[in-house]
Amino acid sequence: MRDRFNINNYSNLGQRIITAIIGATVIIAGSIYSPWIYFVIFGLILGFSQMEFYKLSGLDGMLPLKSFGTFLGLVIFSLSFFIEIGHLPDKYYFLIFPLASLIFFIKLYRKSDKKPFTGVAFTFLGIFYVAVPFAMLNVAAFAVDESFHYEIIIGSLFILWASDTGAYFAGTKFGKTKLFERVSPKKSWEGFLGGAASAYLIGYVLSRYFNSLAEWQWLCIATIIIIAGTYGDLIESLFKRSIAIKDSGKILPGHGGFMDRFDGLLLSAPFIATFLKIF
């Protein structure tokens, strides 16, 4: 009986669907229920994603500060949340700079590192590439009238998931023209257009139900996710190809690792937050 419900008994697509349903339910329900539950859920996703990045960097011979880099990423994420929610003044952002400088001191006292500045560089890259985008999600969530709007978070995720799903099925069925063969041979322009159509459709539907943003703003967010999300996927593919691996991890059945699932969000989040702050 237990083997019957083992997720490994399902096809890759079946595992992908089951994992997506469970993950989406947890993220959506948690974000709607409370900003604090949202904070915990995305803090965990950030922690796992950043540890994945540092683990992959280690496979290529780099020696980033895995624990301290992840800790600093969580500090940046936490500071942005507490500042945006109004529990801390924005002057506390300045704590980031002396904490980040400790990376140099730690590397200075590690005698075993042959190329310490390479480790320093990849530690900072993990913070900038993974932690900062998650911190920018907090900025986006509080960008409208300085109160928490879960619909901005889950709406952006709905658009991202729609784009990924549309691209997957359109690319599988119609994909012939390569989008960026050097980096990702399976991606096609047909898949990209299928993902774009799905993203715009969901963006329009969201504008009918979520009133925190106007229709044109939802469609602009869809445009950001279509473009930046695609590049985010390509950039992670480039990173994985540089160290000759297929997936960033195996923790999410059918999806690989957390970076495989949230790579489009990493590049989209800073653009979404900037767009909402300006407009």
Side-chain angles (χ1 to χ4, degrees), residues 53-73:
F53 176 83
Y54 288 138
K55 180 181 178 181
L56 296 178
S57 300
L59 295 177
D60 202 31
M62 309 305 171
L63 294 173
L65 297 176
K66 299 178 183 178
S67 298
F68 186 76
T70 303
F71 164 74
L72 185 54

Side-chain angles (χ1 to χ4, degrees), residues 13-30:
L13 180 59
Q15 293 180 29
R16 191 180 185 93
I17 293 172
I18 293 170
T19 303
I21 291 173
I22 295 172
T25 301
V26 171
I27 291 172
I28 293 168

Side-chain angles (χ1 to χ4, degrees), residues 37-271:
I37 302 298
Y38 150 83
F39 169 70
V40 171
I41 291 173
F42 278 85
L44 288 172
I45 294 172
L46 163 59
F48 282 118
S49 299
Q50 200 164 356
M51 287 297 289
E52 274 184 3
F53 176 83
Y54 288 138
K55 180 181 178 181
L56 296 178
S57 300
L59 295 177
D60 202 31
M62 309 305 171
L63 294 173
L65 297 176
K66 299 178 183 178
S67 298
F68 186 76
T70 303
F71 164 74
L72 185 54
L74 290 170
V75 167
I76 293 171
F77 177 76
S78 300
L79 279 175
S80 67
F81 179 81
F82 284 108
I83 289 170
E84 294 298 328
I85 204 171
H87 288 353
L88 288 175
D90 56 9
K91 65 183 180 181
Y92 281 91
Y93 274 127
F94 285 95
L95 285 173
I96 295 171
F97 301 104
L99 285 173
S101 69
L102 293 178
I103 294 171
F104 295 101
F105 291 99
I106 295 172
K107 278 293 184 181
L108 181 66
Y109 285 94
R110 287 203 171 180
K111 299 179 181 179
S112 59
D113 289 3
K114 294 181 179 179
K115 295 182 179 181
F117 264 81
T118 303
V120 168
F122 272 83
T123 303
F124 277 112
L125 181 59
I127 293 167
F128 185 78
Y129 178 43
V130 184
V132 170
F134 276 91
M136 294 298 279
L137 278 182
N138 295 331
V139 176
F142 290 90
V144 180
D145 63 36
E146 297 183 352
S147 59
F148 180 71
H149 287 274
Y150 68 83
E151 58 268 32
I152 293 176
I153 299 299
I154 65 173
S156 297
L157 288 174
F158 275 139
I159 295 171
L160 178 64
W161 294 335
S163 178
D164 288 345
T165 304
Y168 176 81
F169 285 106
T172 301
K173 189 170 182 62
F174 305 107
K176 293 181 180 179
T177 311
K178 301 300 182 182
L179 177 66
F180 212 118
E181 189 172 11
R182 178 174 60 86
V183 174
S184 187
K186 292 184 179 181
K187 285 183 172 51
S188 65
W189 277 104
E190 291 82 3
F192 173 80
L193 294 175
S198 300
Y200 279 127
L201 176 61
I202 294 301
Y204 175 76
V205 172
L206 289 172
S207 71
R208 304 294 96 186
Y209 294 95
F210 290 158
N211 298 321
S212 55
L213 298 176
E215 179 183 312
W216 70 272
Q217 291 174 308
W218 280 116
L219 294 178
C220 284
I221 288 176
T223 303
I224 290 171
I225 289 173
I226 291 165
I227 298 172
T230 300
Y231 274 108
D233 195 6
L234 289 170
I235 287 168
E236 205 222 345
S237 294
L238 181 65
F239 176 53
K240 290 187 294 185
R241 286 178 69 84
S242 70
I243 51 180
I245 62 167
K246 181 181 179 182
D247 297 319
S248 65
K250 297 181 179 179
I251 195 169
L252 300 175
H255 293 270
F258 278 91
M259 287 188 65
D260 291 315
R261 182 65 278 172
F262 293 96
D263 53 4
L265 190 65
L266 296 180
L267 208 63
S268 300
F271 287 95

